[in-house]
Structure formats: structure tokens, C-alpha cells
Amino acid sequence: MKQLKLFLKKLFKRHYLDKKSVTLNHKRIYILPTQRGLNFALLVALLLVISFVYNNNLAYLLSFLLASVFFITILHTFKSLAGLIISVSKAHSAYVSEDVVVDIYLDNPSILERFNLTLNLNNTKTIDLPATQKRLVTLNSPTLKRGWHYCEPITLACQYPFGLFKAWSVLHFEVKALVYPKPSTENNPFPELAGEQAQQGNITKGHSDFYGLRDYQEGDSIRDIHWKSMAKGQGLHSKDYRGDLLTELWLDYSQTFGYDSEQRLSQLCRWLIDADNSGLQYGFILVGLTLQPSSGSCHFKKCLTALALF
Amino acid sequence: MVLKNNQRTLVFLLSSIGLITFPHFWHIPLSIITFFYALLLWRFIGIWKSHWLPHKIIVLLIMLGGIALLLNHFRSFLGRDAGTSLFVIALALKLLEIKKDRDLYLICYLAFIVASSQFLFGQSMLMALYILLVCCALFTSLIIINSQQSKPVVAIKKSATILAQALPMTLVLFFLFPRIQTPDWVFLNDTNTNAITGLSDTLDPGSITSLALSPELAFRVKFENNNIPPPRQRYWRGPVYSYTDGKRWTESQQYINPSYMDTPKYKGKAYKYTLLLEPQIKNWIYTLDMPAQFSSGLYKNPRHQLLTQKQSNNRREYQLVSYPHYNTGYITKAEFRENTQLPYPASQKIITFIKQLKGFNSSPEDFIKTLLDYFRTEDFYYTLKPPLMKQKPIETFLFENRRGFCSHYATTFVYLMRVAHIPARVIGGYQGGEFNSIGKFLEVRQADAHAWAEVWLENKGWTRVDPTAAVAPERIERGVDINKQIAQGLVNFMSINNSNAYSWFKKSHQLLQSLDYNWQRWVIHYDTGNQANFLSSLGIKNLKIMLYWMMGLIGFITLCLTIYLFKNNDTSIDKASFYYQKFCKKLAKVGLQRQPNEGANDFYTRISQRFPTQKHQFKVITALYNQQRYGKQPTKKVLQQLQKTVNQFKIKVNIK
């Protein structure tokens, strides 16, 4: 069975990728009877035998009716998928061993209501889609490694109306997401600062004293936005702090410890998250890359990306 | 585990299963039906009170109980009744054990088998309609299993649509799928309670009277080219009663060697017809007097009666050719002996009577004429309620009562002939029949049962003589008015003018009968022989061409259905998307791609920032698209406008 599955996978494997949005048509939809469908065929055969033995024409008629329904179900099952537009919107970044969340839009442009659409990646989601509606479906893809993560093909399947046939389509979207190193679970203190005797917990925050308001710049932390002025309709402003910069926090790869680079990256990642959570200003040093101290989500993302692609 | 959110599915499935089994009330033992409905009820209650459902061990006990019940009634699992009961019990037991969707499917499949088994007991049009409806319910259950969210009305509509779409293909398969004659396997021969009694093998004066009040159908006849014999020739010849014990008349058990007999010569017009005979207890076939050619599986006995080789419990169809004018030729000694047999010497009274009519001196033809004239002129009455004549029935009838039914006249006539040394016998059968002007066929009912005489005459052979015609010529010319006769219990003939008060009733009755006849002919009775006949009349001569036709027609139907199904899908809403996509493609060329998660309005904001000069055009297209796709009523006009604007739309890149 497993071998058969592998063989089928190979058979249906495509050597090119789909565009961002795919309309399902006869080229994309496969149909095969399900186990229940095969049992139904057996049922029809049994009814035919009964009709034959008793030479009963109405029993024949019933068998033929069921056989015809079985046959026509192929068309209806196909129709339950045909015309759907499936598009991949975004794959959200994740840390290693977390799942990458993929946003998928299912669009039903027809006036036909669709039932029991099953989307499958690592998890399976089943939705009904009313006529002319678009729905967001999130699927998960598990991660093992740091770096670019390419998702497996997505399968959209449907057994409506009778469950006798299964129509499905395999979608080879190019879905990639950055996977950051897994943050270390060890709670190591921030690296000691060169020349200073700063201890864990003794680091003064870079912005303890409120200095004034300035125009919002991309990369400013959401925390620092002055919401009151925003509510007054004066536009976005950030609160500016000018504390005494007692210390400059530098998160440096060379200061991490561990058996191998992955463990060290993992440590660095932990520090990054901690620093971002506590709203510190931090500089970032990786081999061949130095980012000047700053804060905010943009800076944070930049650092994580560097970690992921290291 | 009990399935959640599945109550609706179960309610639907269980109700349709209850409906499917319902007609078996009349077919299988009451205890088994009670067993089934008890378990069904239990399961129904279990939908809401799942802790009431039986434990595994109890299910096992119930199963043993079911098997015991089955063995007690049938002692086997084979045969129609036992097999049906087996499936009904299996279905009931499976109901108690619903755990997964798979079990629901198994129940559905078992229910289809039970539905099919209904047809083994009766094949009426109503039953077929009923089963069709119930199948629709079963398919609806399957849909509900597969789409928990859908409303039952939507599911019913869907399954009805699919069934309707399956009908043309079903018909093609039905008429073209090769039929193979079933071997008559002994173990499957259940007794059929549907067979009608009809004429019995002894004719006593009362036997036909009981039939005269029965509206039951005996057989139906369709004549080729609507070539229908006139009423006075509509004699449907059946059993030949040639032995008498003085009171009763029975079929003779004597052997007559057919090789000594003369071959009959047929003259005049031939009537070709198809006889659709209701199930009979006897293997007699009723044929228009006198049958000359007949379909295989039939044989003619030396008394010119047609019989089936095997007794059949089913309604059967036969192709026959009869000639009303014939000459059976000479009479063999054995025949002569058989047809002049008398139980005891005739009484003096009878002999005197025959002498009065010059029976012993004149030619047989003259004697017959005198006797019939005697019946006609003397005060003989034709009645359904003759007084009882227990002793010496013939003399009592002839000299005292003079009231009788056709059997009295026929037996008396034959008796008198035999006393006068003329070979004669009583023939049982039917006379007349009502013509169904809608279906163009003749309908013969039990009330048309009749008895008449056959006399052997020199140079003419066996000749039909009907003494009833002398007493009540209307009986022969017009036939029996069955409805009135039954209502009043008296002899009633068809009135001459047809425009009587209940003619509309008659019309609708005829319409129903005609429907039923065609149903019997084309559906119930469509077998190997019929298939060959029907198909060769269409020019399909052999199996290979038949299969080609079947494949071709199925392919054609599939094609039509595909076009129908997928054309339907192409709605104007869809087209709105199509034009909007076209618009987006034009924008994509200058690098403005609409993101999958971007709504039409957001996209509009974005593009108008980029190309502010064309803002108005964007606005119109977006509004039209939104109106068509999300508005309450998409109209053709809006669509055309959208198409026009999109086609005219061009990006003015140079403005940048």
C-alpha cells in the first residue's frame, strides 16, 4: 500500500509549479471511486444477480437505475470541484519545529453551493462554500530545518454528493516561508558588555525617560506609538525616549556558547526574542554582518532573517 | 462512540428504512416484521437517548434470536421468502451497531437490497413508484452523510435531480442490456399466491356462475394491425370437458394418439395476436378458436387445446396465430368413443324428447338446428341464479326449471347430442372481451368465462355450437357488462348506446387499464424473446450490434448530460469574474497585480493612487463588478455594460 502510494506520488509529481492562483478544470481534477464506491458497484452486481435468478424485470430496472446513478455521480463529483479558484496568499514564518501557517483562499465564483471541500496539507480542513463566496483557510506545514521552507503540495478533495467517488486536485504552489532557529530553552543571561560590569537584570533600559514626540518611522515599535495623538487625528507619532545610554546591548554570535552552530544560533535567537520582548535597543552581530543597535519589529525581523539564512 | 451532530442523518436514514420495509408487511411472516420494527423503534429512541442502546452482548443475543426466528419459519436461508427475511433481519441487527460512517453505508446498501426484494413479491406500477421515491430518500441520506451542513430540502432536491438524470441511461440499459433466460432452478420455486383460479378442471353447473361476478383480469390480447375479430368470433378456447359422470364434466384422462389424427386445415382470415396471460394455477392457454401457430414452449394436445410445457407462476406473453374457420378432418375411433361417452343409459324421458325432435332420424346438422330452435322458442331463461338441480340435473333443467347459465345449456346440449350418437364435448373458456380504445387491446376478465359445445360433423370436423347464443344472443353479440353484473348480481349485457352516464368513468378506467397493460408488456414482461423481437423491429439484429448501440447511446447521453451540467455552471456571475479578470490582466501588464487576498475595493484604492487620471474608469468597472457579483440581482444589462467598459479600457502609461 505504501509502495503504491509512493508510486502514485511519483506519477502525479509535477516538474513545474503552479501560479499563485489556479482555477480547477478537467486538466487539474482526478476522480476515482472510493472504497464505498467499489462496495456500491458490488451491490449493483448483487442486485443484478438477484434480478437474473428471479428473472424479475423491476429488480433489473432498479439495478440499472443504481448503476446509472453510480455513473452519473462521476460528473456530479467532478462538478463539485470544477470552477473553484484556489490561491495561496501567504505563508507565515515560524521557528523550527513550529508549523508554518499557510493562508489559502478558496473562491467559488459559481452560483453552485459547494459542500465538504477538504483541504489537506499537514492538517485537514473541511469547509462548505456557499455560492459566490470566498473563504480563507489556514493550513499548517511542519518545519524541521532553519532557512527557507518549501511546503508540500496542497490537496483539495471532495466526495460530495454520495461519497462514492473522490475528486481531488493536487496543487503545486510555490509556498515558501522563512524558518527561524528554535529559541533555546536555556535562560542564559545576555552577553556581558565589553568593558562594563553589567550584570543580568542590571542593564538599564535605553529609553527610560520620555523625551518627546517625533514622526513615526517605519520600524518603530508598536509599543512606542503615541496612540492619543493618533486618535486626535494628528497622524502617527512615536514617543521618543532619551535615557542615559549606560549600556549598549550587543547580541553577538561569538559570545554564544554551544556544541555546534545550531545551538549557538538558537541561543542568539532566544536573546533576540527576549530583547525584543523587553523593548530594549540592541545591536546584532553575526559573522560578516553587523546591525547597529535599534529596536522595533522591523529590526527584529531583519535579525531573525539573518539568523534563518545563516 | 456515538456520532455527534448526526441526529438528522439518522432520523432521515431510519425513516427511509422504515418506509422501504413497510410493504413487506404483506409478504413475510408477521413475527419477523415485528422483530424488525421493534429494533427500528429502539434505534430511533437511541438517537436521543444513546445510553438506552443495547450492549454488545445483548446485540449478540438479539442476533441469535433473529436467526432462531428465521430458522423457525423457513428452515433455510435460500429462496425468495427466506432470503428476504434474512436481509430484513440483517438490516435490523445492523441498525443497533452504528459506529462509523461505514456502518451507515452498509445499512444503506442493505436497504437497497430489501427494496429490490419488494419486486419479487409484486411488480405493480405503484410499487415501482413507491420504491423509486424511497430510493430517492436513501440517496438523500447519503448526501446528508456527506454534507452535514446542507439543508434536507437541498439534499432531497439534489438526489431527485440525480435520479431524474439517471433515468434515460437506465432505460437504455433496461432495453439493450442482454437478457439471458433464467434457468428454472428448483429451489427457488416458491408458491405464488398471486395466481388466479380461473376455470377449474371440473365443470359443474355452478362453477362458471362464481366467476361471472369476478372483475379479475384473465388475459389481455393485442392484435396485430388492430385486426380484431367481431364479437361473435371472440371465443377463447380453453379446457375440453369430454368425460361426464352424469352431473359433473371433467377433462378426459384417456390417451389419444395424435399420429392417427387428421391434420386440421385452416381457411380464411388469420388473426395474429399477442396474448398476455395473468398468472394461472393451470398450465392452460386461452386461444382464439382455433390456434394454428404458437410460440415455443407451448404444445397442442390432441383435443386442440394449447398448454404450456412448464407451469409458470408469472404473467407470460405468447405470440399466436388463429383462424376462425377451420376443418379438423376425420375423427379417430378413440376420439369417437371418448366423445360419445355416457355414464348410464339415457332415461326414457330423454329418448322420447330426442325422438320428438327427430334426433335419431335426421342429419346431425338438422338436429342441432331443431334443438337450438327449441331453446330459442320455448321459455328458457338465461340467469346467473338458477335454482339448484341436485338430482338428474339435465332432466330437471330441460323439463322443469328451464333457467340456467351458459354451463347448463352447454352440458345439456352435449348430453343430448351424445344420446343421439353425435360426438360432442363441452368447451370451457372465455367469450367476448372489452376493447380498450386507448391502449387498442382486448381485455378479457373472469366474468367473461363461458362454456359452449363442440360437435363433430362429417366433412366439417369439430364445429363450435353455442347454445347460449340461442337463448341470449346479446351475451355473444354485446358481451357482459361486468360492473353492473357485479353490482346487481344479475346477468347484465353491454348496453347498445355507449353514451351512458358513466362513460367518463369508463374512459378513465380504460386509461388506467391501458397504462397497466403497457406496463406489463414493456416493463414486467420484457424478456429474452421480447427483447429480440423489439430490437429486430428497430433493425438491431445481433448481440454485437446491440452492445454497440448500448455503448453508443450511453456515450451520447453522457455527452448531453455533461454539456447540460457544465453549461449550467457558466452563469452571468461567473462571467462578471471573467471580465474583471480581464481587467486585472490589463493592469498586471504595467506591474499592478491584484493580490489574492485583496478585495476589489482595496485594489481600486491602490490602482487609483498609481493612476489617478483613470480613477473614474476604475471606479465604474469596480462598481459594475461588485453589483454583478455581490448585488442582489445580477442582470444581463450590468454584465453587458461591464463587458463593454472592460473591453474599451486601456492604460495610459505615458501619463506617468
Side-chain angles (χ1 to χ4, degrees), chain A residues 100-130:
Chain A
V100 164
V101 175
V102 184
D103 289 350
I104 289 180
Y105 282 95
L106 254 185
D107 183 11
N108 177 15
S110 66
I111 51 162
L112 193 75
E113 194 174 358
R114 315 291 178 127
F115 298 99
N116 259 31
L117 300 171
T118 323
L119 276 154
N120 181 29
L121 190 59
N122 188 46
N123 60 335
T124 303
K125 288 245 168 104
T126 304
I127 59 159
D128 289 349
L129 202 56

Side-chain angles (χ1 to χ4, degrees), chain B residues 599-653:
Chain B
N601 289 335
D602 294 341
F603 187 52
Y604 158 73
T605 321
R606 193 154 67 91
I607 53 181
S608 11
Q609 278 169 3
R610 178 81 187 276
F611 296 105
T613 45
Q614 283 177 297
K615 199 172 170 177
H616 179 69
Q617 265 179 306
F618 297 152
K619 195 174 180 173
V620 169
I621 289 172
T622 310
L624 284 172
Y625 169 69
N626 281 340
Q627 191 182 343
Q628 183 73 4
R629 257 206 88 171
Y630 307 109
K632 270 183 188 160
Q633 272 182 326
T635 56
K636 264 235 158 84
K637 206 178 152 193
V638 175
L639 186 71
Q640 279 167 357
Q641 231 177 325
L642 180 66
Q643 182 188 5
K644 206 176 141 193
T645 4
V646 169
N647 285 340
Q648 284 172 355
F649 173 74
K650 254 186 201 161
I651 298 215
K652 295 164 193 156
V653 190

Side-chain angles (χ1 to χ4, degrees), chain A residues 183-203:
Chain A
S184 164
T185 45
E186 288 168 45
N187 213 354
N188 287 319
F190 285 129
E192 287 185 10
L193 303 168
E196 301 209 20
Q197 303 288 313
Q199 283 169 343
Q200 163 76 23
N202 228 358
I203 297 167

Side-chain angles (χ1 to χ4, degrees), chain A residues 110-175:
Chain A
S110 66
I111 51 162
L112 193 75
E113 194 174 358
R114 315 291 178 127
F115 298 99
N116 259 31
L117 300 171
T118 323
L119 276 154
N120 181 29
L121 190 59
N122 188 46
N123 60 335
T124 303
K125 288 245 168 104
T126 304
I127 59 159
D128 289 349
L129 202 56
T132 68
Q133 293 256 328
K134 195 170 180 176
R135 202 52 76 73
L136 170 73
V137 185
T138 53
L139 292 175
N140 302 337
S141 176
T143 57
L144 295 169
K145 266 191 340 205
R146 182 173 60 76
W148 284 111
H149 172 80
Y150 293 90
C151 293
E152 290 275 289
I154 293 162
T155 318
L156 173 62
C158 183
Q159 296 193 4
Y160 187 79
F162 297 135
L164 304 179
F165 283 90
K166 178 182 174 180
W168 78 98
S169 185
V170 183
L171 300 146
H172 300 258
F173 291 123
E174 192 190 7
V175 189

Side-chain angles (χ1 to χ4, degrees), chain B residues 254-264 299-304 328 330-332 334-335:
Chain B
Q254 271 185 50
Y255 174 73
I256 295 176
N257 192 339
S259 56
Y260 295 138
M261 286 174 62
D262 204 353
T263 38
Y299 70 98
K300 203 172 185 180
N301 73 7
R303 294 163 186 94
H304 303 292
T328 56
Y330 60 76
I331 190 169
T332 61
E335 272 188 286

Side-chain angles (χ1 to χ4, degrees), chain A residues 69-85:
Chain A
V69 166
F70 184 65
F71 188 68
I72 283 175
T73 308
I74 300 177
L75 292 179
H76 282 270
T77 313
F78 175 82
K79 202 183 169 189
S80 60
L81 273 193
L84 284 178
I85 301 169

Side-chain angles (χ1 to χ4, degrees), chain B residues 315-484:
Chain B
R315 203 176 270 107
R316 287 274 159 105
E317 201 180 86
Y318 306 99
Q319 308 288 334
L320 300 158
V321 179
S322 287
Y323 290 84
H325 301 287
Y326 54 90
N327 185 346
T328 56
Y330 60 76
I331 190 169
T332 61
K333 274 181 188 162
E335 272 188 286
F336 188 86
R337 231 178 295 124
E338 182 183 297
N339 292 300
T340 48
Q341 173 265 341
L342 287 172
Y344 38 79
S347 66
Q348 201 52 49
K349 217 172 173 185
I350 297 266
I351 299 200
T352 325
F353 173 71
I354 293 173
K355 273 184 183 156
Q356 266 175 15
L357 298 179
K358 297 173 184 160
F360 297 110
N361 312 331
S362 58
S363 69
E365 281 94 336
D366 287 343
F367 178 49
I368 291 167
K369 194 171 173 294
T370 346
L371 187 53
L372 290 179
D373 279 343
Y374 181 78
F375 280 145
R376 192 173 297 130
T377 48
E378 295 289 316
D379 52 347
F380 281 93
Y381 295 98
Y382 184 70
T383 169
L384 258 177
K385 292 177 178 167
L388 279 178
M389 294 165 262
K390 279 185 181 162
Q391 295 299 314
K392 298 181 181 176
I394 290 176
E395 282 167 57
T396 322
F397 170 69
L398 200 56
F399 304 121
E400 290 170 27
N401 286 326
R402 298 194 161 188
R403 286 157 194 277
F405 202 53
C406 56
S407 47
H408 296 90
Y409 290 96
T411 48
T412 309
F413 180 85
V414 169
Y415 185 81
L416 293 176
M417 286 293 135
R418 287 188 177 184
V419 175
H421 309 296
I422 303 165
R425 56 197 183 188
V426 181
I427 309 290
Y430 296 86
Q431 202 281 327
E434 192 187 335
F435 182 67
N436 187 316
S437 52
I438 296 162
K440 310 260 184 255
F441 58 86
L442 210 59
E443 223 169 62
V444 180
R445 295 171 179 282
Q446 293 300 349
D448 291 313
H450 193 52
W452 61 90
E454 257 180 13
V455 183
W456 186 85
L457 299 171
E458 194 79 48
N459 300 326
K460 283 184 181 168
W462 285 106
T463 311
R464 184 181 67 228
V465 181
D466 189 357
T468 311
V471 189
E474 319 82 278
R475 166 73 183 82
I476 310 305
E477 289 296 335
R478 281 191 253 142
V480 183
D481 190 330
I482 295 164
N483 297 321
K484 258 191 179 168

Side-chain angles (χ1 to χ4, degrees), chain B residues 289-303:
Chain B
D289 199 14
M290 162 68 75
Q293 294 157 31
F294 37 87
S295 39
S296 60
L298 299 180
Y299 70 98
K300 203 172 185 180
N301 73 7
R303 294 163 186 94

